[in-house]
Amino acid sequence: MKLAANGATLVINDVGDSAPAEQTVAEIRSINHEATAIMADVSSAVDVTRMVETAIATHGKIDILVNNAGITRDQLTMKMSDEEWDKVLAIDLKSVFLCTRAVLRPMLKQRSGRIISMSSVVGIIGNAGQANYAAAKAGIIGFTKTIAKEVASRGITVNAVAPGFIDTPMTQVLTPERKQALLANIPLGSLGTPQDIAETVAFLASDEARYITGQVITVDGGISLGKL
């Protein structure tokens, strides 16, 4: 919604149930901006290729890619199954590689582009019970810096955003006790909001951020600073 308000035409991706994506498209159109929904599994190279080709065929080009797919399968490492490891790495990390690779050729051809990927503060400081998630999100940081070096000469910037604990359905399942313990470790004393992340993404996608690349912007209320 923030990108739409800033004038972007949006292609909304989701997998499985199309209703949330279609609802977002309807909300964007309600403020007189264009959007379409494409259902695709971003951990599948075939689906990603189809999604990107459809987006270009529909809208002519891709200026901005936001890699935002993510899941968790929390478990202590000694109890973590192969499936729990593989699923998180596929959705959270492989998808970033597949989607970035798919948009690079058209962006290189037009000599411009913005690639923004969602990492996490967990990829920076770690978190017990999230070895798979932390590994995937740390991998995004290394990937971001590498791609930034590969494509900078063609006018493409590549950055990552590392949210802390944000007030979303993923954190709303926390028990009151766990939430209070979490808040005690956040210097600003509150969870972040989706709007905090949207503003950061919108900035990185804008002309004002033209000289920023290969960076990780941490939006976490200070939790990555550690305890005093």
Side-chain angles (χ1 to χ4, degrees):
M1 293 302 294
K2 177 65 179 178
L3 290 171
N6 285 3
T9 296
L10 275 294
V11 172
I12 306 297
N13 163 254
D14 206 341
V15 64
D17 182 8
S18 63
E22 294 293 353
Q23 179 180 342
T24 303
V25 167
E27 290 176 10
I28 291 170
R29 289 177 176 171
S30 74
I31 60 171
N32 299 316
H33 289 281
E34 183 53 40
T36 54
I38 299 178
M39 306 307 294
D41 176 356
V42 290
S43 68
S44 162
V46 172
D47 274 21
V48 168
T49 298
R50 172 179 56 81
M51 177 178 69
V52 170
E53 289 178 348
T54 302
I56 293 174
T58 304
H59 300 292
K61 62 176 181 172
I62 295 176
D63 294 311
I64 304 163
L65 168 66
V66 181
N67 289 306
N68 191 40
I71 63 168
T72 58
R73 294 289 187 274
D74 296 352
Q75 184 62 268
L76 291 174
T77 303
M78 65 181 295
K79 296 181 179 180
M80 187 174 291
S81 69
D82 290 1
E83 189 277 335
E84 288 168 333
W85 175 270
D86 291 344
K87 189 69 174 177
V88 170
L89 269 290
I91 299 295
D92 294 27
L93 181 57
K94 185 181 179 182
S95 68
V96 176
F97 160 66
L98 292 176
C99 292
T100 299
R101 183 179 66 178
V103 304
L104 277 181
R105 193 176 300 278
M107 284 186 176
L108 288 167
K109 195 171 182 180
Q110 68 197 25
R111 302 187 72 87
S112 66
R114 298 281 191 271
I115 298 173
I116 304 156
S117 300
M118 285 299 145
S119 179
S120 169
V121 67
V122 171
I124 299 171
I125 64 175
N127 193 31
Q130 290 193 309
N132 46 7
Y133 187 74
K137 294 302 185 178
I140 288 171
I141 292 172
F143 181 81
T144 293
K145 292 177 179 294
T146 298
I147 302 302
K149 289 183 176 182
E150 290 182 359
V151 301
S153 65
R154 304 300 286 271
I156 302 167
T157 66
V158 189
N159 293 288
V161 177
F165 289 88
I166 308 300
D167 188 9
T168 68
M170 196 179 283
T171 55
Q172 287 163 7
V173 299
L174 296 173
T175 65
E177 295 77 16
R178 175 72 179 114
K179 191 171 182 179
Q180 280 305 120
L182 192 61
L183 292 173
N185 288 314
I186 302 175
L188 286 182
S190 65
L191 299 181
T193 68
Q195 190 67 26
D196 294 323
I197 308 305
E199 295 287 347
T200 306
V201 170
F203 168 68
L204 290 172
S206 72
D207 290 341
E208 284 80 3
R210 68 168 195 86
Y211 204 58
I212 299 173
T213 196
Q215 302 305 304
V216 182
I217 310 299
T218 305
V219 187
D220 68 350
I223 195 171
S224 57
L225 296 172
K227 294 182 179 180
L228 295 176

